[in-house]
Short mmCIF file of all heavy atoms in Angstrom, two decimals:
data_model
loop_
_atom_site.label_atom_id
_atom_site.label_comp_id
_atom_site.label_asym_id
_atom_site.label_seq_id
_atom_site.Cartn_x
_atom_site.Cartn_y
_atom_site.Cartn_z
N GLN A 294 -13.98 53.99 19.78
CA GLN A 294 -14.35 55.29 19.23
C GLN A 294 -13.28 55.78 18.25
O GLN A 294 -13.60 56.28 17.17
CB GLN A 294 -14.56 56.31 20.37
CG GLN A 294 -15.18 57.61 19.91
CD GLN A 294 -16.49 57.41 19.14
OE1 GLN A 294 -17.39 56.71 19.61
NE2 GLN A 294 -16.59 57.97 17.93
N ALA A 295 -12.01 55.61 18.62
CA ALA A 295 -10.92 56.04 17.73
C ALA A 295 -10.99 55.28 16.41
O ALA A 295 -10.80 55.87 15.32
CB ALA A 295 -9.56 55.81 18.41
N ILE A 296 -11.29 53.99 16.47
CA ILE A 296 -11.39 53.18 15.25
C ILE A 296 -12.57 53.65 14.39
O ILE A 296 -12.45 53.79 13.17
CB ILE A 296 -11.50 51.68 15.62
CG1 ILE A 296 -10.16 51.19 16.21
CG2 ILE A 296 -11.88 50.84 14.40
CD1 ILE A 296 -10.22 49.85 16.90
N CYS A 297 -13.69 53.96 15.03
CA CYS A 297 -14.87 54.42 14.26
C CYS A 297 -14.60 55.79 13.63
O CYS A 297 -15.02 56.05 12.50
CB CYS A 297 -16.11 54.47 15.15
SG CYS A 297 -16.70 52.82 15.62
N ASP A 298 -13.90 56.66 14.36
CA ASP A 298 -13.56 57.98 13.78
C ASP A 298 -12.67 57.80 12.55
O ASP A 298 -12.89 58.44 11.52
CB ASP A 298 -12.82 58.86 14.81
CG ASP A 298 -13.72 59.27 15.96
OD1 ASP A 298 -14.95 59.09 15.84
OD2 ASP A 298 -13.19 59.76 16.99
N GLU A 299 -11.67 56.95 12.68
CA GLU A 299 -10.76 56.68 11.56
C GLU A 299 -11.50 56.04 10.38
O GLU A 299 -11.18 56.29 9.22
CB GLU A 299 -9.63 55.75 12.00
CG GLU A 299 -8.45 56.47 12.62
CD GLU A 299 -7.72 57.36 11.62
OE1 GLU A 299 -7.25 56.83 10.60
OE2 GLU A 299 -7.65 58.57 11.86
N ARG A 300 -12.47 55.21 10.71
CA ARG A 300 -13.24 54.53 9.66
C ARG A 300 -13.89 55.55 8.72
O ARG A 300 -13.84 55.38 7.50
CB ARG A 300 -14.33 53.66 10.31
CG ARG A 300 -15.24 52.96 9.32
CD ARG A 300 -16.24 52.08 10.06
NE ARG A 300 -17.21 52.86 10.81
CZ ARG A 300 -17.99 52.37 11.78
NH1 ARG A 300 -17.91 51.11 12.13
NH2 ARG A 300 -18.85 53.15 12.41
N SER A 301 -14.44 56.63 9.26
CA SER A 301 -15.08 57.58 8.34
C SER A 301 -14.04 58.35 7.54
O SER A 301 -14.28 58.67 6.37
CB SER A 301 -16.07 58.51 9.05
OG SER A 301 -15.59 58.92 10.27
N LEU A 302 -12.85 58.62 8.12
CA LEU A 302 -11.80 59.28 7.34
C LEU A 302 -11.32 58.40 6.19
O LEU A 302 -11.16 58.86 5.06
CB LEU A 302 -10.61 59.65 8.26
CG LEU A 302 -10.91 60.62 9.41
CD1 LEU A 302 -9.66 60.84 10.26
CD2 LEU A 302 -11.43 61.95 8.85
N VAL A 303 -11.09 57.12 6.49
CA VAL A 303 -10.59 56.21 5.45
C VAL A 303 -11.66 56.02 4.36
O VAL A 303 -11.35 56.01 3.16
CB VAL A 303 -10.19 54.84 6.06
CG1 VAL A 303 -9.82 53.82 4.99
CG2 VAL A 303 -9.04 55.02 7.05
N TYR A 304 -12.91 55.91 4.78
CA TYR A 304 -14.01 55.76 3.82
C TYR A 304 -14.04 56.94 2.85
O TYR A 304 -14.09 56.75 1.63
CB TYR A 304 -15.33 55.65 4.60
CG TYR A 304 -16.56 55.61 3.73
CD1 TYR A 304 -16.93 54.44 3.07
CD2 TYR A 304 -17.37 56.74 3.60
CE1 TYR A 304 -18.06 54.40 2.28
CE2 TYR A 304 -18.51 56.71 2.80
CZ TYR A 304 -18.85 55.53 2.15
OH TYR A 304 -19.97 55.50 1.36
N ASP A 305 -13.99 58.15 3.39
CA ASP A 305 -14.02 59.35 2.52
C ASP A 305 -12.80 59.38 1.60
O ASP A 305 -12.90 59.68 0.42
CB ASP A 305 -14.07 60.63 3.36
CG ASP A 305 -15.41 60.79 4.07
OD1 ASP A 305 -16.38 60.11 3.65
OD2 ASP A 305 -15.48 61.57 5.04
N ALA A 306 -11.63 59.07 2.18
CA ALA A 306 -10.39 59.11 1.38
C ALA A 306 -10.46 58.10 0.24
O ALA A 306 -10.07 58.40 -0.89
CB ALA A 306 -9.18 58.84 2.28
N LEU A 307 -10.97 56.88 0.54
CA LEU A 307 -11.06 55.85 -0.50
C LEU A 307 -11.96 56.31 -1.64
O LEU A 307 -11.63 56.15 -2.82
CB LEU A 307 -11.59 54.54 0.09
CG LEU A 307 -10.59 53.68 0.85
CD1 LEU A 307 -11.31 52.56 1.59
CD2 LEU A 307 -9.54 53.11 -0.10
N ASN A 308 -13.09 56.90 -1.27
CA ASN A 308 -14.04 57.31 -2.31
C ASN A 308 -13.56 58.50 -3.13
O ASN A 308 -14.12 58.80 -4.18
CB ASN A 308 -15.42 57.58 -1.71
CG ASN A 308 -16.20 56.28 -1.52
OD1 ASN A 308 -16.08 55.36 -2.33
ND2 ASN A 308 -16.96 56.19 -0.45
N ARG A 309 -12.51 59.18 -2.66
CA ARG A 309 -11.95 60.29 -3.45
C ARG A 309 -11.03 59.78 -4.57
O ARG A 309 -10.73 60.52 -5.49
CB ARG A 309 -11.21 61.28 -2.54
CG ARG A 309 -12.17 62.27 -1.84
CD ARG A 309 -11.42 63.48 -1.30
NE ARG A 309 -10.53 63.12 -0.21
CZ ARG A 309 -10.90 63.10 1.08
NH1 ARG A 309 -12.12 63.45 1.43
NH2 ARG A 309 -10.03 62.76 2.00
N PHE A 310 -10.57 58.52 -4.47
CA PHE A 310 -9.71 57.98 -5.53
C PHE A 310 -10.55 57.69 -6.77
O PHE A 310 -11.64 57.11 -6.66
CB PHE A 310 -9.04 56.67 -5.10
CG PHE A 310 -7.92 56.83 -4.13
CD1 PHE A 310 -8.04 56.38 -2.82
CD2 PHE A 310 -6.72 57.43 -4.52
CE1 PHE A 310 -7.00 56.51 -1.92
CE2 PHE A 310 -5.67 57.56 -3.62
CZ PHE A 310 -5.81 57.11 -2.32
N ASP A 311 -10.00 58.06 -7.92
CA ASP A 311 -10.64 57.71 -9.18
C ASP A 311 -10.68 56.20 -9.35
O ASP A 311 -9.65 55.54 -9.20
CB ASP A 311 -9.78 58.29 -10.34
CG ASP A 311 -10.56 59.32 -11.12
OD1 ASP A 311 -11.79 59.44 -10.87
OD2 ASP A 311 -9.94 60.00 -11.96
N GLY A 312 -11.84 55.65 -9.63
CA GLY A 312 -11.92 54.21 -9.91
C GLY A 312 -12.13 53.34 -8.68
O GLY A 312 -12.31 52.13 -8.80
N ILE A 313 -12.10 53.92 -7.48
CA ILE A 313 -12.31 53.14 -6.25
C ILE A 313 -13.69 53.46 -5.69
O ILE A 313 -14.06 54.62 -5.60
CB ILE A 313 -11.25 53.49 -5.18
CG1 ILE A 313 -9.84 53.16 -5.68
CG2 ILE A 313 -11.54 52.81 -3.85
CD1 ILE A 313 -9.47 51.70 -5.69
N THR A 314 -14.43 52.41 -5.31
CA THR A 314 -15.70 52.61 -4.61
C THR A 314 -15.63 51.90 -3.27
O THR A 314 -15.46 50.67 -3.23
CB THR A 314 -16.88 52.01 -5.41
OG1 THR A 314 -16.83 52.52 -6.73
CG2 THR A 314 -18.21 52.36 -4.76
N ALA A 315 -15.73 52.66 -2.19
CA ALA A 315 -15.75 52.06 -0.85
C ALA A 315 -17.20 51.87 -0.43
O ALA A 315 -18.04 52.72 -0.73
CB ALA A 315 -15.01 52.94 0.14
N TYR A 316 -17.48 50.77 0.26
CA TYR A 316 -18.84 50.50 0.74
C TYR A 316 -18.97 50.93 2.19
O TYR A 316 -18.03 50.76 2.97
CB TYR A 316 -19.16 49.01 0.58
CG TYR A 316 -19.23 48.61 -0.87
CD1 TYR A 316 -18.13 48.11 -1.54
CD2 TYR A 316 -20.41 48.80 -1.59
CE1 TYR A 316 -18.19 47.78 -2.88
CE2 TYR A 316 -20.48 48.48 -2.93
CZ TYR A 316 -19.37 47.96 -3.57
OH TYR A 316 -19.44 47.65 -4.90
N PRO A 317 -20.13 51.48 2.57
CA PRO A 317 -20.32 51.91 3.96
C PRO A 317 -20.13 50.74 4.92
O PRO A 317 -20.53 49.61 4.60
CB PRO A 317 -21.79 52.38 3.98
CG PRO A 317 -22.19 52.58 2.56
CD PRO A 317 -21.33 51.67 1.74
N SER A 318 -19.51 50.99 6.06
CA SER A 318 -19.21 49.92 7.00
C SER A 318 -19.67 50.25 8.41
O SER A 318 -19.50 51.37 8.89
CB SER A 318 -17.70 49.67 7.02
OG SER A 318 -17.36 48.81 8.10
N ALA A 319 -20.24 49.24 9.08
CA ALA A 319 -20.57 49.36 10.50
C ALA A 319 -19.61 48.50 11.31
O ALA A 319 -19.88 48.17 12.46
CB ALA A 319 -22.01 48.92 10.73
N ALA A 320 -18.47 48.13 10.70
CA ALA A 320 -17.50 47.27 11.37
C ALA A 320 -16.14 47.98 11.43
O ALA A 320 -16.05 49.18 11.16
CB ALA A 320 -17.40 45.95 10.62
N ASN A 321 -15.07 47.26 11.77
CA ASN A 321 -13.75 47.90 11.86
C ASN A 321 -12.91 47.61 10.60
O ASN A 321 -11.70 47.47 10.68
CB ASN A 321 -13.00 47.45 13.12
CG ASN A 321 -12.71 45.96 13.11
OD1 ASN A 321 -13.33 45.21 12.38
ND2 ASN A 321 -11.74 45.55 13.92
N PHE A 322 -13.61 47.49 9.47
CA PHE A 322 -12.91 47.29 8.19
C PHE A 322 -13.76 47.91 7.11
O PHE A 322 -14.95 48.22 7.33
CB PHE A 322 -12.70 45.79 7.93
CG PHE A 322 -13.98 45.00 7.85
CD1 PHE A 322 -14.71 44.91 6.66
CD2 PHE A 322 -14.50 44.37 8.98
CE1 PHE A 322 -15.89 44.20 6.59
CE2 PHE A 322 -15.70 43.66 8.92
CZ PHE A 322 -16.39 43.58 7.72
N ILE A 323 -13.17 48.09 5.95
CA ILE A 323 -13.92 48.64 4.81
C ILE A 323 -13.65 47.78 3.58
O ILE A 323 -12.50 47.46 3.26
CB ILE A 323 -13.51 50.11 4.52
CG1 ILE A 323 -13.94 51.00 5.70
CG2 ILE A 323 -14.14 50.61 3.22
CD1 ILE A 323 -13.54 52.46 5.55
N LEU A 324 -14.73 47.42 2.90
CA LEU A 324 -14.63 46.71 1.62
C LEU A 324 -14.61 47.76 0.52
O LEU A 324 -15.39 48.72 0.57
CB LEU A 324 -15.86 45.81 1.45
CG LEU A 324 -15.91 45.01 0.15
CD1 LEU A 324 -15.04 43.77 0.26
CD2 LEU A 324 -17.35 44.59 -0.18
N PHE A 325 -13.72 47.61 -0.45
CA PHE A 325 -13.76 48.54 -1.58
C PHE A 325 -13.53 47.83 -2.90
O PHE A 325 -12.90 46.78 -2.97
CB PHE A 325 -12.79 49.71 -1.39
CG PHE A 325 -11.33 49.35 -1.25
CD1 PHE A 325 -10.48 49.44 -2.35
CD2 PHE A 325 -10.80 48.94 -0.03
CE1 PHE A 325 -9.13 49.14 -2.23
CE2 PHE A 325 -9.45 48.63 0.09
CZ PHE A 325 -8.61 48.73 -1.01
N ARG A 326 -14.15 48.43 -3.93
CA ARG A 326 -14.07 47.86 -5.27
C ARG A 326 -13.02 48.62 -6.06
O ARG A 326 -12.95 49.85 -6.00
CB ARG A 326 -15.44 47.97 -5.95
CG ARG A 326 -15.54 47.28 -7.29
CD ARG A 326 -16.95 47.40 -7.88
NE ARG A 326 -17.94 46.75 -7.04
CZ ARG A 326 -18.15 45.43 -7.01
NH1 ARG A 326 -17.44 44.63 -7.78
NH2 ARG A 326 -19.07 44.92 -6.22
N THR A 327 -12.21 47.86 -6.81
CA THR A 327 -11.16 48.46 -7.64
C THR A 327 -11.64 48.43 -9.10
O THR A 327 -12.64 47.78 -9.40
CB THR A 327 -9.87 47.62 -7.54
OG1 THR A 327 -10.11 46.36 -8.19
CG2 THR A 327 -9.46 47.37 -6.10
N PRO A 328 -10.93 49.09 -10.02
CA PRO A 328 -11.26 48.93 -11.43
C PRO A 328 -11.15 47.45 -11.84
O PRO A 328 -10.44 46.67 -11.20
CB PRO A 328 -10.20 49.77 -12.16
CG PRO A 328 -9.77 50.78 -11.14
CD PRO A 328 -9.83 50.07 -9.82
N GLU A 329 -11.85 47.08 -12.91
CA GLU A 329 -11.92 45.69 -13.39
C GLU A 329 -10.54 45.01 -13.42
O GLU A 329 -9.59 45.54 -14.02
CB GLU A 329 -12.57 45.71 -14.79
CG GLU A 329 -12.88 44.36 -15.39
CD GLU A 329 -14.03 43.62 -14.68
OE1 GLU A 329 -14.82 44.28 -13.97
OE2 GLU A 329 -14.11 42.39 -14.82
N ASN A 330 -10.45 43.85 -12.77
CA ASN A 330 -9.24 43.02 -12.76
C ASN A 330 -8.01 43.69 -12.14
O ASN A 330 -6.88 43.29 -12.43
CB ASN A 330 -8.89 42.54 -14.18
CG ASN A 330 -9.96 41.62 -14.74
OD1 ASN A 330 -10.55 40.85 -13.97
ND2 ASN A 330 -10.22 41.71 -16.03
N ARG A 331 -8.22 44.69 -11.31
CA ARG A 331 -7.08 45.38 -10.69
C ARG A 331 -6.87 44.96 -9.23
O ARG A 331 -5.87 45.34 -8.63
CB ARG A 331 -7.28 46.90 -10.78
CG ARG A 331 -7.23 47.44 -12.21
CD ARG A 331 -5.81 47.57 -12.74
NE ARG A 331 -5.11 48.63 -12.02
CZ ARG A 331 -3.84 48.59 -11.64
NH1 ARG A 331 -3.12 47.50 -11.89
NH2 ARG A 331 -3.28 49.60 -11.01
N ALA A 332 -7.79 44.19 -8.65
CA ALA A 332 -7.69 43.90 -7.22
C ALA A 332 -6.37 43.21 -6.87
O ALA A 332 -5.65 43.64 -5.95
CB ALA A 332 -8.88 43.07 -6.76
N THR A 333 -6.04 42.15 -7.60
CA THR A 333 -4.82 41.40 -7.26
C THR A 333 -3.56 42.23 -7.51
O THR A 333 -2.68 42.29 -6.62
CB THR A 333 -4.79 40.04 -7.99
OG1 THR A 333 -5.93 39.28 -7.53
CG2 THR A 333 -3.53 39.27 -7.71
N PRO A 334 -3.42 42.91 -8.66
CA PRO A 334 -2.23 43.77 -8.83
C PRO A 334 -2.11 44.86 -7.75
O PRO A 334 -1.00 45.12 -7.27
CB PRO A 334 -2.43 44.41 -10.21
CG PRO A 334 -3.39 43.53 -10.94
CD PRO A 334 -4.22 42.83 -9.91
#
Side-chain angles (χ1 to χ4, degrees):
Q294 190 54 51
I296 291 166
C297 290
D298 292 347
E299 273 295 301
R300 177 178 69 196
S301 41
L302 298 178
V303 174
Y304 175 78
D305 290 342
L307 281 170
N308 278 325
R309 279 197 293 270
F310 285 112
D311 243 351
I313 299 285
T314 308
Y316 293 93
S318 169
N321 63 341
F322 60 85
I323 294 178
L324 180 80
F325 60 99
R326 187 179 297 282
T327 69
E329 187 69 19
N330 295 326
R331 293 282 291 141
T333 298

